[in-house]
Amino acid sequence: MKARAMVLEEFNKPLVMREFELKLPKDGELLVKIEAAGVCGSDAHIFKGNDPRAKLPMILGHEGVGRVEAISGNWEDIYGYELKEGDLIIWDRGVTCGKCYYCTVKKEPYLCQDRWTYGISVGCNQPPYLRGCYSEYIYLVQNTKVLKIESNIEPEVLVSASCSGATCAHAFDTISPDIGDTVLIQGPGPIGLYAILFAKKYGAQNIIVIGGTKERLNMCKEFGATIVLDRNLTTLEQRKEIIMDITKGKGVDLAIEAVGHPSAVSEGIKLVRNGGNYLSLGFGDPNGTVTIDCYYDITRKNLRYQGIWVSDTKHLYMAANLVLNNKELFKKMITNKYKLSEATQALMDMANRSTVKSVLIP
Ligand SMILES: [Zn+2]
Ligand SMILES: [Zn+2]
């Protein structure tokens, strides 16, 4: 039996469909039939050659939901449930060593020095080849953390929990708003949508979103944003005036940057109140440097600037449960579905921001 997968052989060149020999898993691995693969912003960066972790040739796709096809050894999910063939699962895209300083002493496995990621930092030129989700099947290594999904949900609705959702959960797990706080979210993409719902769950009173795409901002309103500000219809000064007005001249308690552009950071940091928090998630790839006035914008304001890099299993758990409890909303987030063979088009559409969330259905 063969499995088809979309392979990135050269940067900036269309993905190529290749067939791989499908064998029963060995060495304690899990063979999973992919039901949905999320197209993430990082995939477009990898495609262009902007992610130093990429190893060609490779199968893209780090967001996946699938069904257990075959099992080698004993597999339990994070709840201790023994996996069986046919179970619907989602898994932590990052595999960590569990032994290093970050994994053990600091309990920050997202910083593990040996962390590698399905569909990002592993090539497809060594058996068992299938280590990315733009594929009909994937093999998961033994220490992959898996969540069995008991609830009835369409796989494509859940798939973004494994990257966008988990990364956003990492932000809220690091610093969360207090009840009644004002939260600013920069960037109305999938991370921004998760941020709106997390902010709501933590009890934020005002949830303000700044973005540049009308359709995405409208969706933010559906998700519960109290105010959306279109960058193309307002000036920097106007946005500041509106936000200062809402916060009685103080600025927001917490800002979440999910844009990855220096101009967003320059703007956002000035909109945070004294003693407030600025969380930067957006820079998934190098995208310029930001000039910050450390004295006026950080020290004198007693402001906390926190970077957020990827996520761990706790964050996947948080994001997956957020989706399972808000299925109808997250269903709206899926604006485009593609066949496996249309993966290159899906990447182009994602890069042009003409979609909110795209999913491949192999
Ligand atoms: Zn480690
Ligand atoms: Zn991602």
Side-chain angles (χ1 to χ4, degrees), residues 47-352:
F47 177 79
K48 287 186 209 146
N50 293 343
D51 192 322
R53 294 173 292 172
K55 288 186 182 71
L56 301 189
M58 63 181 290
I59 299 166
L60 283 175
H62 51 280
E63 292 186 345
V65 169
R67 280 192 193 280
V68 176
E69 179 79 11
I71 304 169
S72 159
N74 291 317
W75 270 78
E76 284 183 358
D77 84 342
I78 58 163
Y79 301 101
Y81 171 92
E82 199 183 325
L83 293 179
K84 295 182 187 69
E85 283 167 22
D87 283 342
L88 189 67
I89 60 167
I90 188 168
W91 54 93
D92 191 334
R93 70 200 187 286
V95 179
T96 54
C97 76
K99 292 185 285 199
C100 74
Y101 175 73
Y102 291 104
C103 283
T104 57
V105 178
K106 291 300 170 189
K107 314 276 188 237
E108 293 172 313
Y110 37 85
L111 296 178
C112 170
Q113 55 210 39
D114 291 322
R115 184 180 187 273
W116 62 271
T117 314
Y118 290 103
I120 294 184
S121 50
V122 56
C124 64
N125 49 5
Q126 274 181 21
Y129 311 108
L130 305 172
R131 298 287 195 208
C133 301
Y134 287 16
S135 171
E136 290 174 324
Y137 291 89
I138 189 170
Y139 291 92
L140 302 182
V141 298
Q142 208 168 26
N143 51 343
T144 306
K145 283 86 163 189
V146 171
L147 269 81
K148 176 176 158 26
I149 305 302
E150 308 253 22
S151 167
N152 189 14
I153 187 166
E154 288 137 300
E156 66 261 30
V157 178
L158 180 63
V159 77
S160 63
S162 57
C163 177
S164 322
T167 305
C168 188
H170 182 187
F172 281 85
D173 187 40
T174 306
I175 294 169
S176 56
D178 289 329
I179 294 172
D181 274 2
T182 296
V183 175
L184 168 66
I185 296 157
Q186 297 176 279
I191 291 181
L193 292 169
Y194 273 94
I196 294 168
L197 273 190
F198 274 121
K200 225 159 73 170
K201 296 287 167 205
Y202 279 96
Q205 182 73 28
N206 302 304
I207 303 169
I208 306 163
V209 181
I210 299 178
T213 317
K214 196 171 154 230
E215 295 73 25
R216 288 183 169 201
L217 288 171
N218 286 340
M219 194 169 292
C220 289
K221 281 193 207 156
E222 287 188 59
F223 270 64
T226 49
I227 294 156
V228 297
L229 299 171
D230 192 328
R231 271 191 292 110
N232 301 315
L233 305 176
T234 53
T235 64
L236 202 74
E237 289 72 31
Q238 285 170 333
R239 294 194 291 276
K240 185 170 184 184
E241 206 178 299
I242 292 166
I243 290 172
M244 289 304 160
D245 213 45
I246 294 166
T247 57
K248 313 276 186 295
K250 291 195 291 295
V252 304
D253 300 289
L254 170 66
I256 291 172
E257 176 271 311
V259 180
H261 196 274
S263 65
V265 178
S266 311
E267 175 177 10
I269 211 154
K270 291 196 189 302
L271 298 172
V272 178
R273 70 164 167 83
N274 290 350
N277 293 292
Y278 193 81
L279 301 184
S280 200
L281 293 63
F283 284 83
D285 70 321
N287 206 354
T289 50
V290 187
T291 307
I292 294 172
D293 185 330
C294 276
Y295 177 71
Y296 284 106
D297 290 339
I298 307 269
T299 310
R300 203 171 185 284
K301 286 174 74 172
N302 210 58
L303 183 137
R304 181 149 46 152
Y305 190 131
Q306 173 74 48
I308 299 291
W309 179 244
V310 301
S311 59
D312 67 31
T313 311
K314 177 184 180 185
H315 309 132
L316 169 64
Y317 166 87
M318 288 168 69
N321 280 294
L322 191 76
V323 176
L324 293 171
N325 292 325
N326 297 276
K327 288 178 202 166
E328 291 309 312
L329 267 184
F330 280 97
K331 202 174 188 169
K332 292 182 186 172
M333 190 168 109
I334 311 304
T335 47
N336 299 62
K337 289 190 213 174
Y338 300 84
K339 289 183 232 162
L340 188 60
S341 57
E342 298 167 329
T344 310
Q345 188 58 45
L347 284 172
M348 297 299 143
D349 295 346
M350 162 66 70
N352 298 333

